[in-house]
């Protein structure tokens, strides 16, 4: 019998740890996530059911340590030339069970990209935060706070808007930053985040990238408030909330990379984040394929399994063909993010634009072919019992994460057509 493992995984360049990681994650989702995931929607506020699998994965298996250097108790992934290719496999396996969980897992590492990657590793900050994540078997979450009430896309659109709309301020007072502002939507907030990287301006209204500052704040610092979790259409495992910073004081050396470099390395979040979204789409499609296969074998039309009808076969073929394409493209994107020697640094605007292009295209394909699968399944397409509606809801949310489709299109057009004002 064909399985999800019959879809092509480009063997020339998967990570050397791919098989091992794949089987660990497959086993974990089968035992710890899939049996409970249909109840996750109602667990968005408390995480009673969502917490135990995170505890096992992050705390007990120690995945929350992986980006830290080995001598600080981590796994040294931040220095690996397979970081993104390995992440692709992990992301895909988690998203097969629950995309919200995959996003929360991926977003945990966003704040550390500024300080854990070469050539801009910030050893002092890694030493400061490593114990929080590496010396415990409890899950510890981190959040990257970019989006603000007036809009998220403008803040991500660093190349053109250059930080001029950021309203969260950081003022240097002696040897401390004083932070004031209001952020929305960061993954892993709602009370979960122990550490946050906060995107601030040191000079409100300025479009000088040197005024964009990424500053770390632990959530127990006086003046930090995480609001209650939002109730979304799905993705309950990714907790999001408002976060307020009121005269929050942190040491001056809590700034990630320094003037100019904080803005420059922001691109790393965008390239790896968009690559990750493709992995999450691919993972969700794997599970829909599994459920769909069961459905078209079990359901009969004119005495034959549904899959034996010509019109149905067209829909099934399109779904399978899109998985093939999205997975191969996704792995290629991961490899492009890893092979700086061939494709340039992670923060390169060309790489960011290419990742955004592949991400929005993959998402459009997902939405189109999954809609057709749901039509095929008729009322069962919307039945929680079949899980397809869960992936469909979750991925619609994922389409809106890390910059809208419009921002993806703008950045793609800007790079390929050398637009000057977009
Ligand atoms: C599940 C989830 C997790 C998230 N996690 C995080 C996180 O970890 N950290 C974080 O900071 N944020 C996070 N976000 C927020 C997310 O990144 C923003 O929602 C996203 O960037 C869009 O911002 P916005 O919602 O403010 O919309 P806006 O940016 O205000 O956009 C509103 C509309 O304007 C359009 N638009 C914007 N700019 C342009 C333009 N130049 N030209 C044409 N149209 C434009 C958009 O396409 C959209 O239709 C998360 C969101 C979700 C749903």
């Amino acid at each position: 019998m064909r399985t999800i493992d019959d879809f092509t995984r480009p063997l020339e360049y998967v990570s050397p740890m791919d098989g091992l990681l794949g089987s660990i994650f497959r086993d974990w989702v089968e035992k710890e996530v899939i049996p409970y995931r249909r109840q996750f929607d109602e667990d968005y506020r408390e995480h009673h059911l969502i917490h135990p699998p995170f505890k096992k994965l992050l705390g007990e298996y120690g995945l929350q340590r992986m980006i830290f250097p080995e001598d600080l108790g981590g796994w040294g992934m931040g220095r690996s030339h397979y970081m993104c290719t390995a992440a692709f496999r992990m992301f895909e396996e988690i998203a097969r069970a629950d995309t919200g969980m995959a996003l929360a897992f991926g977003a945990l590492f966003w704040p550390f990209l500024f300080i854990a990657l070469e050539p801009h590793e910030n050893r002092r900050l890694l030493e400061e935060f490593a114990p929080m994540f590496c010396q415990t078997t409890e899950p510890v979450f981190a959040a990257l706070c970019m989006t603000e009430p007036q809009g998220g896309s403008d803040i991500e659109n660093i190349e053109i808007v250059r930080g001029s709309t950021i309203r969260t301020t950081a003022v240097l007072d002696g040897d401390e930053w004083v932070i004031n502002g209001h952020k929305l939507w960061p993954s892993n907030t709602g009370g979960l985040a122990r550490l946050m990287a906060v995107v601030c301006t040191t000079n409100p209204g300025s479009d000088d990238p040197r005024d964009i500052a990424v500053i770390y704040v632990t959530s127990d610092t006086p003046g930090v408030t995480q609001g209650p979790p939002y109730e979304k259409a799905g993705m309950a495992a990714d907790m999001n909330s408002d976060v307020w910073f009121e005269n929050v004081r942190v040491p001056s050396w809590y700034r990630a990379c320094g003037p100019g470099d904080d803005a420059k390395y922001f691109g790393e979040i965008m390239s790896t984040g968009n690559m990750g979204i493709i992995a999450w789409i691919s993972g969700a499609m794997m599970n829909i394929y599994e459920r769909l296969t069961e459905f078209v074998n079990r359901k009969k039309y004119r005495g034959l399994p549904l899959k034996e009808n010509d019109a149905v076969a067209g829909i099934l073929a399109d779904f399978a063909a899109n998985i093939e394409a999205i997975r191969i493209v996704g792995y290629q994107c991961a490899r492009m993010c890893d092979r700086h020697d061939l494709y340039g640094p992670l923060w390169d605007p060309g790489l960011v634009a290419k990742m955004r292009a592949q991400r929005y295209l993959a998402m459009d394909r997902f939405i189109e072919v999954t809609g057709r699968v749901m039509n095929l399944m008729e009322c069962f397409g919307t039945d929680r019992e079949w899980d397809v509606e869960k992936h469909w809801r979750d991925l619609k949310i994922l389409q809106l994460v890390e910059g809208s489709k419009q921002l993806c299109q703008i950045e793609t057009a800007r790079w390929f057509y050398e637009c000057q004002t977009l």
Side-chain angles (χ1 to χ4, degrees):
M1 202 177 114
R2 300 265 188 277
T3 72
I4 50 173
D5 294 316
D6 289 307
F7 286 96
T8 303
R9 179 171 288 122
L11 298 175
E12 301 90 314
Y13 48 56
V14 295
S15 138
M17 286 167 64
D18 195 84
L20 179 65
L21 284 171
S23 60
I24 293 171
F25 276 76
R26 183 82 53 93
D27 187 57
W28 169 75
V29 300
E30 291 291 351
K31 290 192 184 123
E32 310 281 336
V33 185
I34 290 180
Y36 311 102
R37 66 179 172 180
R38 279 185 208 138
Q39 297 158 64
F40 281 3
D41 286 332
E42 287 70 38
D43 193 32
Y44 76 96
R45 203 193 306 263
E46 308 294 344
H47 275 199
H48 288 312
L49 291 170
I50 294 165
H51 181 81
F54 269 141
K55 178 173 163 54
K56 180 147 282 181
L57 182 74
L58 301 177
E60 293 170 18
Y61 293 171
L63 268 293
Q64 67 200 17
R65 291 188 259 146
M66 68 184 182
I67 200 158
F68 290 94
E70 284 164 282
D71 65 321
L72 296 180
W75 298 2
M77 281 275 276
R79 293 172 179 169
S80 163
H81 297 303
Y82 279 98
M83 180 181 79
C84 295
T85 328
F88 193 91
R89 180 66 194 266
M90 296 184 237
F91 288 168
E92 211 184 30
E93 293 290 339
I94 309 180
R96 175 176 158 253
D98 187 88
T99 329
M101 205 159 237
L103 172 54
F105 174 72
L108 190 165
F109 300 104
W110 285 342
F112 299 109
L113 297 184
F114 292 99
I115 57 173
L117 304 189
E118 288 169 332
H120 51 89
E121 208 183 78
N122 183 328
R123 181 74 190 178
R124 192 175 179 195
L125 285 176
L126 286 172
E127 284 173 5
E128 179 80 351
F129 301 130
M132 188 189 287
F133 291 83
C134 302
Q135 293 178 7
T136 176
T137 53
E138 286 301 313
V140 184
F141 290 91
L144 175 67
C145 304
M146 311 178 281
T147 308
E148 298 186 351
Q150 75 280 4
S153 305
D154 274 349
I155 294 178
E156 292 186 26
N157 193 352
I158 278 206
E159 228 192 321
I160 292 291
V161 183
R162 299 157 69 94
S164 58
T165 62
I166 301 172
R167 294 193 190 154
T168 300
T169 55
V171 176
L172 207 48
D173 180 22
D175 57 2
E176 287 182 329
W177 289 107
V178 183
I179 300 173
N180 279 285
H182 179 193
K183 297 288 185 181
L184 302 184
W185 282 102
S187 291
N188 296 328
T189 53
L192 277 184
R194 291 265 311 275
L195 181 69
M196 303 179 204
V198 188
V199 180
C200 308
T201 176
T202 57
N203 185 9
S206 160
D207 65 357
D208 182 342
R210 287 172 299 186
D211 294 322
I212 298 173
V214 175
I215 300 175
Y216 292 86
V217 175
T218 56
S219 57
D220 56 1
T221 313
V224 179
T225 309
Q226 298 181 54
Y230 304 148
E231 186 175 11
K232 309 188 292 294
M235 277 207 161
D238 176 36
M239 227 186 233
N240 315 89
S241 75
D242 290 43
V243 187
W244 292 271
F245 301 90
E246 202 178 339
N247 293 321
V248 173
R249 289 182 167 268
V250 295
S252 57
W253 55 275
Y254 271 30
R255 183 171 184 171
C257 308
D261 285 346
D262 287 350
K264 178 174 164 185
Y265 299 129
F266 197 81
E268 296 181 336
I269 310 282
M270 298 304 140
S271 50
T272 56
N274 283 282
M275 178 281 296
I277 290 173
I278 305 173
W280 300 331
I281 297 169
S282 175
M285 290 181 87
M286 294 291 165
N287 192 228
I288 296 176
Y289 165 80
E290 292 173 298
R291 302 310 323 267
L292 178 62
T293 304
E294 193 183 332
F295 186 84
V296 293
N297 276 304
R298 202 199 287 181
K299 280 271 167 191
K300 294 224 163 61
Y301 178 64
R302 293 187 185 166
L304 283 175
L306 208 51
K307 68 177 182 183
E308 303 296 343
N309 290 279
D310 289 353
V312 173
I315 297 172
L316 300 183
D318 281 358
F319 196 74
N322 274 282
I323 300 180
E324 267 292 290
I326 289 170
R327 183 188 243 184
I328 292 172
V329 164
Y331 263 107
Q332 176 63 33
C333 287
R335 220 51 216 123
M336 288 165 73
C337 286
D338 277 333
R339 290 296 303 265
H340 313 154
D341 54 331
L342 297 177
Y343 298 100
L346 271 175
W347 61 86
D348 180 75
L351 191 71
V352 174
K354 289 174 185 175
M355 295 303 122
R356 285 213 187 269
Q358 298 300 348
R359 167 257 172 112
Y360 90 74
L361 210 62
M363 187 61 85
D364 279 357
R365 300 307 305 148
F366 168 87
I367 287 178
E368 189 194 324
V369 293
T370 303
R372 289 169 63 199
V373 163
M374 290 175 79
N375 291 347
L376 174 69
M377 294 175 76
E378 291 286 350
C379 52
F380 297 102
T382 65
D383 183 349
R384 276 197 185 192
E385 190 73 25
W386 284 92
D387 302 309
V388 176
E389 61 82 40
K390 171 186 164 56
H391 290 299
W392 174 68
R393 280 186 286 126
D394 287 351
L395 266 74
K396 182 63 210 177
I397 300 173
L398 194 58
Q399 190 179 33
L400 314 176
V401 174
E402 267 225 342
S404 55
K405 175 173 171 183
Q406 279 88 335
L407 185 61
C408 291
Q409 292 174 313
I410 285 167
E411 295 204 357
T412 304
R414 181 194 300 152
W415 195 80
F416 281 101
Y417 298 90
E418 299 178 87
C419 305
Q420 299 300 314
T421 59
L422 275 183

